[in-house]
Amino acid sequence: MNYYIAQVATGHEKAFLENINKFHPHLAQQYNFTFLTRELYIQRAGEKLKELQPVFPSYIIVKTSSEIAPETLQELKTVSYFYHFLNSNTDITPLSGNDLEIVRHFMGLGPKIGSSLVRFDENQRIVVMEGPLKGLEGSIIKVDKRKQRAKIRVEFAGTVHTMDLSFQDIERK
C-alpha cells in the first residue's frame, strides 16, 4: 500500500471529503481518503465536553495500491478546497521512512483517535498502557494531569507538529 498526503484548505477537510463522495464517487472507490481526528475533553462553563479536532490540520491521507494517476490529479484540482499533494503536484511521492511510520501508527487506530490508558510510576512519569500514545512515549513533551492531556511533538511531512492527546489515568478515581 502507498500513502500520499493531499493538502486542502484548513477547516474544510470534511467538506472536501463530502465533495469527493458526492461529485467524484469513482475516486472514493479507487482511493481511500482519510481525515484523522482526535477526541479531546474540553472544560467549558463547568461542563466537560467531548470535541473532535484534527490530528494533522489540512492534511488528507490518501491510501492506494497504485500511484496517483495524472488524470486523478487533474480531477482533484476541480474539487473545492484541494490545494496540492506533498511535496508538490509535479513530484507526487508516497510517504516513506518516519512519515510512513507515523501515518501507519495513527491509521491503525482508525479515523477517530480516542484516549490512551496510562498510569504514573513512583517518579510521576507517565507509563502508557494502551492507546494512541503507545509507542510515542519518547515524543511526549508535556503532561497535564488535571486536563488529562499529553502534548507530543512529531516530525511529519517536513515540519514539526505538536498536538495534545487525551489520556485516562487508570489509577485515578
Side-chain angles (χ1 to χ4, degrees), residues 34-51:
T34 306
F35 173 55
L36 295 174
T37 57
R38 58 196 160 106
E39 290 180 346
L40 281 182
Y41 289 95
I42 309 287
Q43 193 84 13
R44 286 205 183 113
E47 289 186 49
K48 198 172 193 179
L49 306 170
K50 185 172 22 175
E51 191 175 281

Side-chain angles (χ1 to χ4, degrees), residues 66-84:
S66 62
E67 293 183 353
I68 303 293
E71 309 82 50
T72 301
L73 175 60
Q74 292 306 317
E75 196 168 346
L76 283 173
K77 286 180 179 180
T78 66
V79 178
S80 297
Y81 309 116
F82 176 79
Y83 288 156
H84 60 87

Side-chain angles (χ1 to χ4, degrees), residues 7-71:
Q7 189 165 18
V8 300
T10 304
H12 297 281
E13 298 91 349
K14 289 181 184 175
F16 170 79
L17 293 177
E18 289 169 2
N19 288 339
I20 289 285
N21 290 324
K22 186 175 181 180
F23 300 115
H24 305 277
H26 60 283
L27 287 180
Q29 290 174 343
Q30 185 178 359
Y31 301 98
N32 179 1
F33 294 90
T34 306
F35 173 55
L36 295 174
T37 57
R38 58 196 160 106
E39 290 180 346
L40 281 182
Y41 289 95
I42 309 287
Q43 193 84 13
R44 286 205 183 113
E47 289 186 49
K48 198 172 193 179
L49 306 170
K50 185 172 22 175
E51 191 175 281
L52 283 179
Q53 294 185 352
V55 174
F56 300 111
S58 82
Y59 289 169
I60 302 292
I61 298 167
V62 183
K63 181 179 172 184
T64 179
S65 58
S66 62
E67 293 183 353
I68 303 293
E71 309 82 50

Side-chain angles (χ1 to χ4, degrees), residues 1 19 26 28 31 42 47 53 59 64 77 90 94 99 109 113 126 134-135 139 148 153 159 166 169 171:
M1 276 296 146
N19 288 339
H26 60 283
Y31 301 98
I42 309 287
E47 289 186 49
Q53 294 185 352
Y59 289 169
T64 179
K77 286 180 179 180
T90 58
D99 292 348
L109 301 166
I113 298 169
I126 192 168
K134 187 77 172 168
S139 301
Q148 294 185 305
R153 178 183 293 145
T159 58
S166 62
D169 186 351
E171 296 172 350

Side-chain angles (χ1 to χ4, degrees), residues 96-110:
S96 61
N98 186 54
D99 292 348
L100 181 60
E101 288 177 34
I102 290 170
V103 164
R104 282 188 177 155
H105 173 79
F106 286 118
M107 290 283 288
L109 301 166

